[in-house]
């Protein structure tokens, strides 16, 4: 027991947890109050019983000079299908002032070492809807393939109608809501020009899924001031996500298996990008290109996803052809490939879930070192993010909700049931 205040103990005094003791305290920032925070989460699921909606409250610290960046893009995509919607947003206040790192440092300045680089960050919150589930919670092969089809179709809408490029495609920035694929997290989004290139792009993304072309550009010496980020690069990012799922998951709900065979140089490109420097980026890009350009690459989907092998190969060959002929991959090509595969899934034997299934994807960091998941070297909840140029290559501080329980365990009926919101 202590008489010290929450802030003196290092707790965030701007967070209020609703319970039976807070009667009479106004909750003006969120509808109906905030549910109890689940273990491991950095956001909240909020129920609006009146409108029968669930909201996610995104709590983040944003660079002061780009405080409205994500808000501007969420407004640009407002009303679009399969895209998270912004309900409201605000800067968090503490002691009558906007909560920021500069204010915090002001109080403890005399106890901190001199820092060569200081970026003022603002404590910011956004209320968003809908609340979806992680991509790993797919219930069947057709559902997952349909989710990727949804995402490609929505990507086209964002590009053509809203002139928006997401800029950071990874499993953590895609969710499933009512069986459909949704985009979330527009922190690194960019507006595109008439030539379908991103305007003023310095190169962003989650490294394991960045296209080989972008990686080589971002690892260029001398480092280019701007990077030519195209819509075509996003289709390669989608491909790597799809390939990862096909080779490491052995059944619905994200159960990891050791029966898939990732590309032989996956482990190599994982090791070099972990160096987090321009050399690592360039070499990783070369290794990815080596895989894409092979005529008959050695890899194998897990037995559960064997029906998707034609989709993978047609998709890879579309990227290969674009690289050989120095042209872009287009929405129509990828949409046709996925749709054809979806239409023909019924012509293949029903996928079987074969043992050994190692574990739910909630804890991939404990995978066997010989498992495909370990070969990829990827952790779906903790992939490193970067923002070019090279002196900014530091892991992202963004977090996510803890993943749902394994399929064998019934989900809690509590309103605060954990759902992914990165």
């Amino acid at each position: 027991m202590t008489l010290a205040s929450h802030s003196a103990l290092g707790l965030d005094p701007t967070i209020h947890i609703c319970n039976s003791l807070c009667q009479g305290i106004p909750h003006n920032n969120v509808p109906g109050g905030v549910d109890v925070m689940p273990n491991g989460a950095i956001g909240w699921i909020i129920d609006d019983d009146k409108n029968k909606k669930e909201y996610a409250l995104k709590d983040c610290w944003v660079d002061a000079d780009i405080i409205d960046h994500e808000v501007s893009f969420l407004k640009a995509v407002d009303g679009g299908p399969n895209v998270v919607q912004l309900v409201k947003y605000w800067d968090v206040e503490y002691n009558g002032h906007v909560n920021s790192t500069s204010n915090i440092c002001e109080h403890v300045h005399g106890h901190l070492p001199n820092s060569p680089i200081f970026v003022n960050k603002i404590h910011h919150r956004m209320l968003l809807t809908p609340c979806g589930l992680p991509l790993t919670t797919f219930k069947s092969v057709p559902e997952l393939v349909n989710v990727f089809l949804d995402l490609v179709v929505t990507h086209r809408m964002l590009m053509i109608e809203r002139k928006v490029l997401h800029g950071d495609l990874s499993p953590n920035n895609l969710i499933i809501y009512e069986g459909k694929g949704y985009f979330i997290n527009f922190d690194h989004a960019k507006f595109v020009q008439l030539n379908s290139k991103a305007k003023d792009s310095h190169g962003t993304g989650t490294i394991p899924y960045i296209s080989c072309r972008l990686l080589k550009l971002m690892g260029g010496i001398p480092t280019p001031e701007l990077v030519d980020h195209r819509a075509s690069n996003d289709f390669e990012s989608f491909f790597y996500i799809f390939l990862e799922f096909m080779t490491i998951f052995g059944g619905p709900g994200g159960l990891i298996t050791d029966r898939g065979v990732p590309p032989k140089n996956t482990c190599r490109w994982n090791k070099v990008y972990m160096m987090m420097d321009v050399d690592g980026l360039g070499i990783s890009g070369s290794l990815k290109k080596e895989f894409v350009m092979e005529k008959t690459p050695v890899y194998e989907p897990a037995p559960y996803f064997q029906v998707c092998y034609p989709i993978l190969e047609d998709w890879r060959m579309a990227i290969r052809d674009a690289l050989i002929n120095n042209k872009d991959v287009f929405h129509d090509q990828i949409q046709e490939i996925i749709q054809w595969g979806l239409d023909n899934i019924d012509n293949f034997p029903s996928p079987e879930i074969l043992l050994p299934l190692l574990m739910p994807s909630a804890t991939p960091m404990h995978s066997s070192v010989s498992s495909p998941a370990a070969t990829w070297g990827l952790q779906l909840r903790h992939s490193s993010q970067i923002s070019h140029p090279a002196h900014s290559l530091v892991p992202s501080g963004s977090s996510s909700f803890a993943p749902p329980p394994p399929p064998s365990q019934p989900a809690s009926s509590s309103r605060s049931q954990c759902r992914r919101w990165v």
Side-chain angles (χ1 to χ4, degrees):
M1 187 172 181
T2 177
L3 299 178
S5 66
H6 285 178
S7 57
L9 292 172
L11 302 177
D12 187 342
T14 67
I15 294 178
H16 169 69
I17 302 297
C18 291
N19 54 41
S20 59
L21 302 178
C22 67
Q23 299 297 326
I25 298 177
H27 304 91
N28 299 321
N29 285 334
V30 292
V34 181
D35 287 344
V36 175
M37 196 171 184
N39 290 333
I42 57 92
W44 295 261
I45 301 299
I46 303 160
D47 283 340
D48 183 349
D49 296 328
K50 181 179 179 181
N51 296 314
K52 304 299 181 183
K53 279 188 177 183
E54 281 189 334
Y55 301 88
L57 184 64
K58 182 174 180 178
D59 186 273
C60 48
W61 291 81
V62 185
D63 289 1
D65 58 346
I66 56 169
I67 187 66
D68 292 324
H69 179 86
E70 184 171 13
V71 169
S72 65
F73 282 95
L74 287 170
K75 288 181 177 180
V77 302
D78 184 57
N82 300 75
V83 180
V84 66
Q85 302 295 306
L86 178 66
V87 179
K88 66 185 301 183
Y89 61 96
W90 63 96
D91 295 332
V92 178
E93 292 191 358
Y94 177 60
N95 281 346
H97 301 282
V98 171
N99 198 25
S100 67
T101 52
S102 62
N103 287 340
I104 294 172
C105 289
E106 192 175 280
H107 295 293
V108 294
H109 181 72
H111 304 281
L112 295 176
N114 292 328
S115 174
I117 299 174
F118 174 76
V119 177
N120 187 31
K121 293 182 178 288
I122 306 296
H123 196 176
H124 192 66
R125 287 177 183 161
M126 289 178 283
L127 196 64
L128 305 141
T129 193
C131 269
L133 292 166
L135 211 56
T136 53
T137 60
F138 63 90
K139 298 176 182 176
S140 66
V141 174
E143 181 184 75
L144 184 61
V145 176
N146 257 311
V147 163
F148 276 86
L149 182 60
D150 293 335
L151 294 169
V152 170
V153 172
T154 303
H155 189 276
R156 177 174 186 156
M157 180 276 295
L158 293 175
M159 287 286 301
I160 295 176
E161 296 181 17
R162 309 300 173 95
K163 307 300 181 187
V164 170
L165 188 69
H166 186 278
D168 186 14
L169 295 181
S170 77
N172 286 341
N173 292 335
L174 308 169
I175 59 172
I176 299 175
Y177 177 69
E178 295 185 345
K180 296 184 176 297
Y182 273 69
F183 288 91
I184 62 173
N185 287 342
F186 285 77
D187 311 63
H188 298 290
K190 305 162 187 70
F191 286 110
V192 295
Q193 305 172 94
L194 293 177
N195 55 9
S196 296
K197 298 177 183 178
K199 181 181 179 182
D200 300 332
S201 173
H202 293 274
T204 57
T206 303
I207 305 174
Y209 314 106
I210 298 177
S211 73
C212 60
R213 176 183 164 276
L214 277 185
L215 282 172
K216 295 185 75 173
L217 284 175
M218 294 162 69
I221 300 175
T223 302
E225 182 180 350
L226 296 176
V227 171
D228 176 17
H229 192 153
R230 306 173 185 175
S232 182
N233 300 125
D234 281 4
F235 296 128
E236 191 173 337
S237 296
F238 276 132
F239 170 74
Y240 292 129
I241 299 170
F242 195 66
L243 174 64
E244 179 187 11
F245 273 56
M246 300 299 106
T247 55
I248 72 172
F249 293 128
L255 292 171
I256 294 176
T257 182
D258 63 357
R259 293 182 178 269
V261 181
K264 62 181 181 181
N265 61 2
T266 304
C267 187
R268 292 168 61 203
W269 81 52
N270 167 51
K271 286 182 179 179
V272 293
Y273 82 65
M274 288 302 290
M275 292 188 293
M276 296 296 284
D277 59 15
V278 291
D279 290 338
L281 294 175
I283 296 171
S284 181
S286 297
L287 291 171
K288 281 185 175 180
K289 184 176 181 179
E290 181 183 306
F291 160 67
V292 171
M293 297 299 289
E294 285 187 68
K295 289 186 178 180
T296 54
V298 178
Y299 74 98
E300 191 75 24
Y304 183 75
F305 284 113
Q306 281 292 326
V307 295
C308 296
Y309 183 77
I311 302 176
L312 281 168
E313 271 303 280
D314 285 354
W315 199 335
R316 186 187 67 84
M317 291 301 291
I319 297 170
R320 180 177 185 269
D321 180 64
L323 289 172
I324 290 174
N325 295 290
N326 194 27
K327 63 180 184 180
D328 288 339
V329 181
F330 294 101
H331 291 90
D332 290 344
Q333 289 176 269
I334 307 304
Q335 184 176 339
E336 183 179 344
I337 288 169
I338 299 176
Q339 186 64 64
W340 179 89
L342 190 61
D343 293 342
N344 285 275
I345 280 179
D346 290 340
N347 296 332
F348 292 86
S350 298
E352 296 181 2
I353 304 175
L354 301 176
L355 296 176
L357 292 175
L358 301 181
M359 68 209 66
S361 63
T363 54
M365 64 289 295
H366 301 302
S367 303
S368 163
V369 292
S370 61
S371 72
T375 303
W376 276 95
L378 305 180
Q379 300 174 7
L380 295 183
R381 296 181 56 224
H382 301 286
S383 297
S384 298
Q385 282 186 318
I386 63 171
S387 179
H388 192 67
H391 61 70
S392 300
L393 301 184
V394 294
S396 167
S398 63
S399 304
S400 66
F401 281 153
S408 60
Q409 300 175 7
S412 169
S413 60
S414 167
R415 291 197 312 162
S416 60
Q417 177 184 341
C418 221
R419 301 196 184 187
R420 172 71 57 85
W421 194 268
V422 184

